[in-house]
Coordinates of all heavy atoms in Angstrom, one line a residue:
M386 N -12.5 26.5 -20.2 CA -12.0 27.8 -19.9 C -11.3 27.8 -18.5 O -11.6 26.9 -17.7 CB -13.2 28.8 -19.8 CG -14.0 28.9 -21.0 SD -14.1 30.6 -21.5 CE -14.8 30.4 -23.1
G387 N -10.5 28.7 -18.3 CA -9.7 28.7 -17.0 C -10.5 29.5 -16.0 O -11.5 30.0 -16.2
N388 N -9.9 29.5 -14.8 CA -10.5 30.2 -13.7 C -9.9 31.6 -13.7 O -8.7 31.8 -13.6 CB -10.1 29.4 -12.4 CG -10.8 30.0 -11.2 OD1 -11.5 30.9 -11.3 ND2 -10.5 29.4 -10.1
P389 N -10.8 32.6 -13.9 CA -10.2 34.0 -14.0 C -9.5 34.3 -12.7 O -10.0 34.0 -11.6 CB -11.4 34.9 -14.2 CG -12.6 34.0 -14.4 CD -12.2 32.6 -14.1
G390 N -8.3 34.9 -12.8 CA -7.5 35.2 -11.7 C -6.7 34.1 -11.2 O -6.0 34.2 -10.1
G391 N -6.7 32.9 -11.8 CA -5.8 31.8 -11.4 C -6.3 31.2 -10.1 O -7.5 31.2 -9.9
G392 N -5.4 30.6 -9.4 CA -5.8 30.1 -8.1 C -6.1 28.6 -8.1 O -6.0 28.0 -7.0
G393 N -6.4 28.0 -9.2 CA -6.6 26.6 -9.2 C -7.7 26.1 -8.3 O -7.4 25.6 -7.2
G394 N -9.0 26.4 -8.6 CA -10.1 26.0 -7.8 C -10.3 24.5 -7.6 O -9.6 23.7 -8.2
P395 N -11.4 24.2 -6.9 CA -11.7 22.8 -6.7 C -11.9 22.0 -8.0 O -11.6 20.8 -8.1 CB -13.0 22.8 -5.9 CG -13.2 24.2 -5.4 CD -12.3 25.1 -6.3
D396 N -12.5 22.7 -9.0 CA -12.7 22.0 -10.3 C -11.4 21.6 -11.0 O -11.2 20.5 -11.5 CB -13.5 22.9 -11.3 CG -15.0 23.0 -10.8 OD1 -15.4 22.2 -10.0 OD2 -15.6 24.0 -11.2
D397 N -10.4 22.5 -10.9 CA -9.1 22.2 -11.4 C -8.4 21.0 -10.7 O -7.8 20.1 -11.3 CB -8.1 23.4 -11.3 CG -8.6 24.5 -12.2 OD1 -9.3 24.3 -13.2 OD2 -8.2 25.7 -12.0
E398 N -8.6 21.0 -9.4 CA -8.0 19.9 -8.6 C -8.7 18.6 -8.9 O -8.1 17.5 -9.1 CB -8.2 20.2 -7.1 CG -7.6 19.1 -6.2 CD -6.1 19.0 -6.2 OE1 -5.4 19.9 -6.8 OE2 -5.5 18.0 -5.8
A399 N -10.0 18.6 -9.0 CA -10.8 17.4 -9.4 C -10.3 16.9 -10.8 O -10.1 15.6 -11.0 CB -12.3 17.6 -9.4
E400 N -10.2 17.8 -11.7 CA -9.7 17.4 -13.1 C -8.3 16.7 -13.0 O -8.1 15.7 -13.7 CB -9.7 18.6 -14.0 CG -9.3 18.3 -15.4 CD -10.2 17.3 -16.1 OE1 -11.4 17.3 -15.9 OE2 -9.7 16.6 -17.0
R401 N -7.5 17.3 -12.2 CA -6.1 16.8 -12.1 C -6.1 15.4 -11.5 O -5.5 14.4 -11.9 CB -5.3 17.7 -11.2 CG -3.8 17.3 -11.1 CD -3.0 18.2 -10.2 NE -3.3 18.0 -8.8 CZ -2.8 16.9 -8.1 NH1 -2.0 16.1 -8.7 NH2 -3.0 16.8 -6.9
V402 N -7.0 15.1 -10.5 CA -7.1 13.8 -9.8 C -7.7 12.8 -10.8 O -7.2 11.7 -10.9 CB -8.0 13.9 -8.5 CG1 -8.3 12.5 -8.0 CG2 -7.2 14.7 -7.5
F403 N -8.8 13.2 -11.6 CA -9.4 12.3 -12.6 C -8.3 11.9 -13.6 O -8.3 10.7 -14.0 CB -10.5 13.0 -13.2 CG -11.8 13.2 -12.4 CD1 -12.6 14.3 -12.5 CD2 -12.1 12.3 -11.4 CE1 -13.7 14.5 -11.7 CE2 -13.2 12.4 -10.6 CZ -14.0 13.5 -10.7
R404 N -7.5 12.9 -14.1 CA -6.5 12.6 -15.1 C -5.5 11.6 -14.5 O -5.1 10.7 -15.2 CB -5.9 13.9 -15.6 CG -4.9 13.6 -16.7 CD -4.4 14.9 -17.3 NE -5.5 15.5 -18.0 CZ -5.9 16.8 -17.9 NH1 -5.3 17.6 -17.1 NH2 -6.9 17.3 -18.5
L405 N -5.0 11.9 -13.3 CA -4.0 11.0 -12.7 C -4.5 9.6 -12.5 O -3.8 8.6 -12.8 CB -3.6 11.6 -11.3 CG -2.6 10.8 -10.5 CD1 -1.3 10.6 -11.3 CD2 -2.3 11.5 -9.2
V406 N -5.8 9.4 -12.0 CA -6.3 8.1 -11.8 C -6.5 7.4 -13.1 O -6.2 6.2 -13.3 CB -7.7 8.2 -11.1 CG1 -8.5 6.8 -11.1 CG2 -7.5 8.6 -9.6
G407 N -6.9 8.1 -14.2 CA -7.0 7.5 -15.5 C -5.6 7.0 -16.0 O -5.5 5.9 -16.6
E408 N -4.6 7.8 -15.8 CA -3.3 7.4 -16.2 C -2.8 6.2 -15.5 O -2.2 5.3 -16.1 CB -2.3 8.6 -16.0 CG -2.5 9.7 -17.0 CD -1.7 11.0 -16.7 OE1 -0.9 10.9 -15.7 OE2 -1.8 12.0 -17.4
L409 N -3.1 6.1 -14.2 CA -2.7 5.0 -13.4 C -3.4 3.7 -13.9 O -2.8 2.6 -13.9 CB -3.0 5.2 -11.9 CG -2.0 6.2 -11.2 CD1 -2.6 6.6 -9.8 CD2 -0.6 5.7 -11.2
L410 N -4.7 3.8 -14.2 CA -5.4 2.7 -14.7 C -4.9 2.2 -16.0 O -4.8 1.0 -16.3 CB -6.9 3.0 -14.7 CG -7.6 3.1 -13.4 CD1 -9.1 3.6 -13.5 CD2 -7.6 1.8 -12.6
I411 N -4.6 3.1 -16.9 CA -4.0 2.8 -18.2 C -2.7 2.1 -18.0 O -2.4 1.0 -18.6 CB -3.8 4.0 -19.1 CG1 -5.2 4.6 -19.5 CG2 -2.9 3.7 -20.3 CD1 -5.1 5.9 -20.2
D412 N -1.8 2.6 -17.1 CA -0.5 1.9 -16.8 C -0.8 0.5 -16.3 O -0.1 -0.4 -16.6 CB 0.3 2.7 -15.8 CG 0.9 4.0 -16.5 OD1 0.9 4.1 -17.7 OD2 1.4 4.8 -15.7
L413 N -1.7 0.4 -15.3 CA -2.0 -0.9 -14.8 C -2.5 -1.9 -15.8 O -2.0 -3.1 -15.9 CB -3.0 -0.8 -13.7 CG -3.5 -2.1 -13.0 CD1 -2.3 -2.8 -12.3 CD2 -4.6 -1.9 -12.0
G414 N -3.4 -1.4 -16.7 CA -3.8 -2.3 -17.8 C -2.7 -2.7 -18.7 O -2.7 -3.9 -19.1
E415 N -1.8 -1.8 -19.0 CA -0.7 -2.2 -19.9 C 0.2 -3.2 -19.2 O 0.7 -4.2 -19.8 CB 0.1 -1.0 -20.2 CG -0.6 0.0 -21.2 CD 0.1 1.3 -21.4 OE1 1.2 1.5 -20.8 OE2 -0.4 2.1 -22.2
K416 N 0.4 -3.1 -17.9 CA 1.3 -4.1 -17.2 C 0.6 -5.4 -17.1 O 1.3 -6.5 -17.3 CB 1.6 -3.6 -15.8 CG 2.5 -2.4 -15.8 CD 2.9 -1.9 -14.4 CE 3.7 -0.7 -14.6 NZ 4.7 -0.5 -13.6
V417 N -0.7 -5.5 -16.9 CA -1.4 -6.7 -16.9 C -1.4 -7.4 -18.3 O -1.1 -8.6 -18.4 CB -2.9 -6.5 -16.4 CG1 -3.7 -7.8 -16.7 CG2 -3.0 -6.2 -15.0
R418 N -1.6 -6.6 -19.3 CA -1.5 -7.1 -20.7 C -0.1 -7.7 -21.0 O 0.0 -8.8 -21.5 CB -1.9 -6.0 -21.7 CG -1.9 -6.6 -23.1 CD -2.4 -5.6 -24.1 NE -1.8 -4.3 -24.0 CZ -2.5 -3.1 -23.8 NH1 -3.8 -3.2 -23.7 NH2 -1.9 -2.0 -23.6
S419 N 0.9 -7.0 -20.6 CA 2.3 -7.5 -20.9 C 2.7 -8.7 -20.1 O 3.4 -9.6 -20.5 CB 3.3 -6.4 -20.7 OG 3.5 -6.0 -19.3
A420 N 2.2 -8.8 -18.8 CA 2.5 -10.0 -18.0 C 1.6 -11.1 -18.3 O 2.0 -12.3 -18.1 CB 2.3 -9.6 -16.5
G421 N 0.4 -10.9 -18.8 CA -0.6 -11.9 -19.1 C -1.4 -12.1 -17.9 O -1.0 -12.1 -16.8
P422 N -2.7 -12.3 -18.1 CA -3.7 -12.4 -17.0 C -3.4 -13.6 -16.1 O -3.6 -13.6 -14.9 CB -5.0 -12.6 -17.7 CG -4.8 -12.7 -19.1 CD -3.4 -12.4 -19.4
E423 N -2.8 -14.7 -16.6 CA -2.4 -15.8 -15.7 C -1.3 -15.5 -14.8 O -1.1 -16.2 -13.8 CB -2.1 -17.1 -16.6 CG -1.0 -16.9 -17.5 CD -1.3 -16.2 -18.8 OE1 -2.5 -16.0 -19.2 OE2 -0.3 -15.8 -19.5
S424 N -0.5 -14.4 -15.0 CA 0.6 -14.1 -14.2 C 0.2 -13.0 -13.1 O 1.0 -12.6 -12.3 CB 1.7 -13.5 -15.0 OG 2.2 -14.4 -16.0
V425 N -1.1 -12.6 -13.1 CA -1.5 -11.6 -12.2 C -2.4 -12.2 -11.2 O -3.3 -13.0 -11.5 CB -2.3 -10.5 -13.0 CG1 -2.9 -9.5 -12.0 CG2 -1.5 -9.8 -14.0
R426 N -2.1 -11.9 -9.9 CA -2.9 -12.4 -8.8 C -3.4 -11.3 -7.9 O -2.6 -10.4 -7.6 CB -2.0 -13.4 -8.0 CG -2.8 -14.2 -6.9 CD -2.0 -15.3 -6.4 NE -1.0 -14.8 -5.4 CZ -1.4 -14.6 -4.1 NH1 -2.6 -14.7 -3.7 NH2 -0.5 -14.2 -3.2
V427 N -4.6 -11.3 -7.6 CA -5.2 -10.3 -6.7 C -5.2 -10.8 -5.3 O -5.7 -11.9 -5.1 CB -6.6 -9.9 -7.2 CG1 -7.3 -8.9 -6.3 CG2 -6.6 -9.4 -8.6
L428 N -4.7 -10.0 -4.4 CA -4.7 -10.4 -3.0 C -6.0 -10.2 -2.4 O -6.7 -9.2 -2.6 CB -3.7 -9.6 -2.2 CG -2.2 -9.8 -2.5 CD1 -1.3 -8.9 -1.7 CD2 -1.8 -11.2 -2.3
T429 N -6.4 -11.2 -1.5 CA -7.6 -11.0 -0.7 C -7.3 -10.1 0.5 O -6.1 -9.9 0.8 CB -8.2 -12.3 -0.2 OG1 -7.3 -12.9 0.7 CG2 -8.5 -13.2 -1.4
E430 N -8.3 -9.6 1.1 CA -8.1 -8.8 2.3 C -7.4 -9.6 3.4 O -6.5 -9.1 4.1 CB -9.4 -8.3 2.9 CG -9.3 -7.4 4.1 CD -8.7 -6.0 3.8 OE1 -8.7 -5.6 2.6 OE2 -8.2 -5.4 4.7
E431 N -7.8 -10.9 3.5 CA -7.1 -11.8 4.5 C -5.6 -11.9 4.2 O -4.8 -11.9 5.2 CB -7.8 -13.1 4.5 CG -7.3 -14.1 5.6 CD -8.0 -15.4 5.5 OE1 -9.2 -15.5 5.2 OE2 -7.3 -16.4 5.9
E432 N -5.3 -12.2 3.0 CA -3.9 -12.3 2.6 C -3.1 -11.1 2.9 O -2.0 -11.1 3.4 CB -3.7 -12.7 1.1 CG -4.2 -14.1 0.8 CD -4.2 -14.3 -0.7 OE1 -4.8 -13.5 -1.4 OE2 -3.6 -15.3 -1.1
L433 N -3.7 -9.9 2.6 CA -3.0 -8.7 2.9 C -2.8 -8.5 4.4 O -1.7 -8.1 4.8 CB -3.8 -7.5 2.3 CG -3.2 -6.1 2.4 CD1 -1.9 -6.0 1.8 CD2 -4.2 -5.1 1.8
Q434 N -3.8 -8.7 5.2 CA -3.7 -8.6 6.6 C -2.6 -9.5 7.2 O -1.9 -9.2 8.1 CB -5.0 -8.8 7.3 CG -6.0 -7.6 7.1 CD -7.3 -7.9 7.7 OE1 -7.6 -8.9 8.3 NE2 -8.2 -6.9 7.7
R435 N -2.6 -10.8 6.7 CA -1.6 -11.7 7.1 C -0.2 -11.3 6.8 O 0.7 -11.3 7.7 CB -1.9 -13.1 6.5 CG -1.1 -14.2 7.1 CD -1.4 -15.6 6.5 NE -2.8 -15.8 6.1 CZ -3.2 -16.1 4.9 NH1 -2.4 -16.2 3.9 NH2 -4.5 -16.2 4.7
H436 N 0.0 -10.7 5.6 CA 1.3 -10.2 5.2 C 1.7 -9.0 6.1 O 2.8 -8.9 6.6 CB 1.3 -9.7 3.8 CG 2.5 -9.0 3.3 ND1 3.7 -9.7 3.1 CD2 2.7 -7.7 3.1 CE1 4.6 -8.8 2.8 NE2 4.0 -7.6 2.8
Q437 N 0.7 -8.1 6.4 CA 1.0 -7.0 7.2 C 1.4 -7.4 8.7 O 2.3 -6.9 9.3 CB -0.1 -6.0 7.2 CG -0.3 -5.3 5.9 CD -1.6 -4.5 5.8 OE1 -2.5 -4.7 6.5 NE2 -1.6 -3.5 5.0
L438 N 0.7 -8.4 9.2 CA 0.9 -8.9 10.5 C 2.3 -9.5 10.6 O 3.1 -9.3 11.5 CB -0.1 -9.9 10.9 CG 0.0 -10.6 12.3 CD1 0.0 -9.5 13.4 CD2 -1.1 -11.6 12.6
N439 N 2.7 -10.3 9.6 CA 4.0 -10.9 9.6 C 5.1 -9.9 9.5 O 6.1 -10.0 10.2 CB 4.1 -11.9 8.4 CG 3.3 -13.2 8.6 OD1 3.0 -13.5 9.7 ND2 3.0 -13.8 7.5
W440 N 4.9 -8.8 8.7 CA 5.8 -7.7 8.6 C 6.0 -7.0 10.0 O 7.1 -6.7 10.4 CB 5.3 -6.7 7.5 CG 6.2 -5.6 7.4 CD1 7.3 -5.5 6.6 CD2 6.0 -4.3 8.0 NE1 7.9 -4.2 6.7 CE2 7.1 -3.5 7.6 CE3 5.1 -3.8 8.9 CZ2 7.2 -2.1 8.0 CZ3 5.2 -2.5 9.3 CH2 6.3 -1.7 8.8
F441 N 4.8 -6.8 10.6 CA 4.9 -6.1 11.9 C 5.6 -7.0 13.0 O 6.4 -6.5 13.7 CB 3.4 -5.9 12.4 CG 3.3 -5.1 13.6 CD1 3.5 -3.7 13.7 CD2 2.9 -5.7 14.8 CE1 3.4 -3.0 14.8 CE2 2.8 -5.0 16.0 CZ 3.0 -3.6 16.0
R442 N 5.3 -8.3 13.0 CA 6.0 -9.2 13.9 C 7.5 -9.2 13.7 O 8.3 -9.2 14.6 CB 5.4 -10.6 13.8 CG 4.1 -10.8 14.5 CD 3.6 -12.2 14.4 NE 2.4 -12.4 15.0 CZ 1.5 -13.3 14.7 NH1 1.8 -14.2 13.8 NH2 0.4 -13.4 15.4
A443 N 7.9 -9.3 12.4 CA 9.3 -9.3 12.1 C 10.0 -8.1 12.6 O 11.1 -8.1 13.1 CB 9.5 -9.5 10.6
G444 N 9.3 -6.9 12.4 CA 9.9 -5.7 12.9 C 10.1 -5.7 14.4 O 11.1 -5.2 14.9
W445 N 9.1 -6.2 15.1 CA 9.2 -6.2 16.6 C 10.3 -7.2 17.0 O 11.0 -6.9 18.0 CB 7.9 -6.6 17.3 CG 7.1 -5.3 17.5 CD1 5.9 -5.0 16.8 CD2 7.3 -4.3 18.5 NE1 5.5 -3.8 17.3 CE2 6.3 -3.3 18.3 CE3 8.3 -4.1 19.4 CZ2 6.2 -2.2 19.1 CZ3 8.2 -3.0 20.2 CH2 7.2 -2.0 20.0
E446 N 10.4 -8.3 16.3 CA 11.5 -9.3 16.7 C 12.8 -8.7 16.4 O 13.8 -8.9 17.2 CB 11.2 -10.6 15.9 CG 10.0 -11.3 16.4 CD 9.6 -12.5 15.5 OE1 10.3 -12.7 14.5 OE2 8.7 -13.2 15.9
E447 N 13.0 -8.0 15.3 CA 14.3 -7.3 15.0 C 14.6 -6.2 16.0 O 15.7 -6.1 16.5 CB 14.2 -6.7 13.6 CG 15.4 -5.9 13.2 CD 16.7 -6.8 13.1 OE1 16.5 -8.0 12.8 OE2 17.8 -6.3 13.3
H448 N 13.5 -5.5 16.4 CA 13.7 -4.5 17.5 C 14.2 -5.1 18.8 O 15.1 -4.6 19.5 CB 12.4 -3.7 17.7 CG 12.5 -2.8 18.8 ND1 13.2 -1.6 18.8 CD2 11.9 -2.8 20.0 CE1 13.0 -0.9 19.9 NE2 12.3 -1.7 20.7
A449 N 13.5 -6.3 19.1 CA 13.9 -7.0 20.4 C 15.3 -7.5 20.3 O 16.1 -7.4 21.3 CB 12.9 -8.1 20.6
R450 N 15.8 -8.0 19.1 CA 17.2 -8.5 19.0 C 18.1 -7.3 19.2 O 19.1 -7.4 19.8 CB 17.4 -9.2 17.7 CG 16.9 -10.6 17.6 CD 17.4 -11.3 16.4 NE 16.8 -10.7 15.2 CZ 15.7 -11.0 14.6 NH1 14.9 -11.9 15.2 NH2 15.3 -10.5 13.5
A451 N 17.8 -6.2 18.5 CA 18.7 -5.0 18.6 C 18.8 -4.4 19.9 O 19.8 -3.8 20.3 CB 18.2 -4.0 17.6
T452 N 17.7 -4.5 20.7 CA 17.7 -3.9 22.1 C 18.0 -4.9 23.2 O 18.0 -4.6 24.3 CB 16.4 -3.2 22.3 OG1 15.3 -4.1 22.3 CG2 16.2 -2.0 21.4
G453 N 18.2 -6.2 22.8 CA 18.5 -7.2 23.8 C 17.2 -7.7 24.5 O 17.3 -8.3 25.6
G454 N 16.1 -7.5 23.9 CA 14.8 -7.9 24.5 C 14.6 -9.4 24.2 O 15.4 -10.1 23.7
E455 N 13.4 -9.9 24.6 CA 13.1 -11.3 24.4 C 12.2 -11.6 23.3 O 11.6 -12.7 23.2 CB 12.5 -11.8 25.7 CG 13.4 -11.8 26.9 CD 12.8 -12.4 28.1 OE1 11.8 -13.1 28.0 OE2 13.3 -12.0 29.2
G456 N 11.9 -10.7 22.4 CA 11.1 -10.9 21.2 C 9.6 -10.7 21.5 O 9.3 -10.0 22.5
T457 N 8.7 -11.2 20.7 CA 7.3 -11.0 20.9 C 6.6 -12.1 21.7 O 5.4 -12.0 21.9 CB 6.6 -10.9 19.5 OG1 6.8 -12.2 18.8 CG2 7.1 -9.8 18.7
G458 N 7.3 -13.0 22.2 CA 6.7 -14.1 23.0 C 6.2 -13.7 24.3 O 5.5 -14.5 24.9
G459 N 6.6 -12.6 24.8 CA 6.1 -12.1 26.2 C 4.7 -11.7 26.3 O 4.1 -11.6 27.3
G460 N 4.0 -11.5 25.1 CA 2.6 -11.2 25.1 C 2.3 -9.7 25.3 O 1.2 -9.3 25.3
G461 N 3.3 -8.9 25.6 CA 3.0 -7.5 25.8 C 4.0 -6.6 25.2 O 5.1 -7.1 24.9
M462 N 3.7 -5.4 25.1 CA 4.7 -4.4 24.5 C 5.0 -3.4 25.6 O 5.4 -2.2 25.2 CB 4.1 -3.8 23.3 CG 4.0 -4.8 22.1 SD 3.7 -3.9 20.6 CE 2.0 -3.8 20.6
G463 N 4.9 -3.7 26.9 CA 5.2 -2.7 27.9 C 6.7 -2.5 28.0 O 7.5 -3.2 27.5
R464 N 7.0 -1.4 28.8 CA 8.4 -1.1 29.0 C 8.8 -1.3 30.4 O 8.0 -1.1 31.3 CB 8.7 0.4 28.6 CG 8.5 0.6 27.2 CD 8.6 2.1 26.9 NE 8.1 2.4 25.6 CZ 8.6 3.2 24.8 NH1 9.7 4.0 25.1 NH2 8.1 3.5 23.6
D465 N 10.0 -1.7 30.7 CA 10.5 -1.9 32.1 C 10.9 -0.6 32.7 O 11.4 0.3 32.0 CB 11.6 -2.9 32.1 CG 11.1 -4.3 31.8 OD1 10.0 -4.4 31.1 OD2 11.7 -5.3 32.2

C-alpha cells in the first residue's frame, strides 16, 4: 500500500535503494558472465591506493608544469 498523503517516506526511499542495488548487482553479474570469470580481476585495497596515489602525483606534476613549478620533488606543497 502507499503512504496516505504521498510524501515518499523513509520506507519508500529504502525500497528504492534496495531495488537500485539489486539492479546494479544483476547488471554486474551479467557483465561478469559475458566477460567470463577469467577476464575479471578484483583489485586489492593496496592496488587501489597505489593507483590513486599515482593519479594524484600525476595531477600535481601536470599542475607544476602548467604553472612553471618544479614538480613534486620538493617535498612540500607550500606556496611562495
Side-chain angles (χ1 to χ4, degrees):
M386 307 232 167
N388 188 0
D396 290 339
D397 292 338
E398 182 67 16
E400 179 64 30
R401 188 182 74 78
V402 170
F403 290 145
R404 185 171 291 129
L405 179 60
V406 169
E408 290 172 2
L409 289 171
L410 288 173
I411 289 169
D412 286 346
L413 177 61
E415 290 173 358
K416 289 180 186 217
V417 168
R418 185 176 43 237
S419 69
E423 60 280 346
S424 299
V425 176
R426 190 168 78 82
V427 177
L428 293 176
T429 64
E430 183 69 23
E431 182 181 331
E432 290 173 308
L433 182 59
Q434 287 178 356
R435 190 177 323 120
H436 172 73
Q437 290 171 336
L438 179 60
N439 288 338
W440 178 85
F441 185 76
R442 283 182 179 155
W445 273 107
E446 289 170 359
E447 178 64 27
H448 174 73
R450 281 192 296 274
T452 59
E455 296 183 19
T457 58
M462 290 191 277
R464 297 175 192 218
D465 290 23

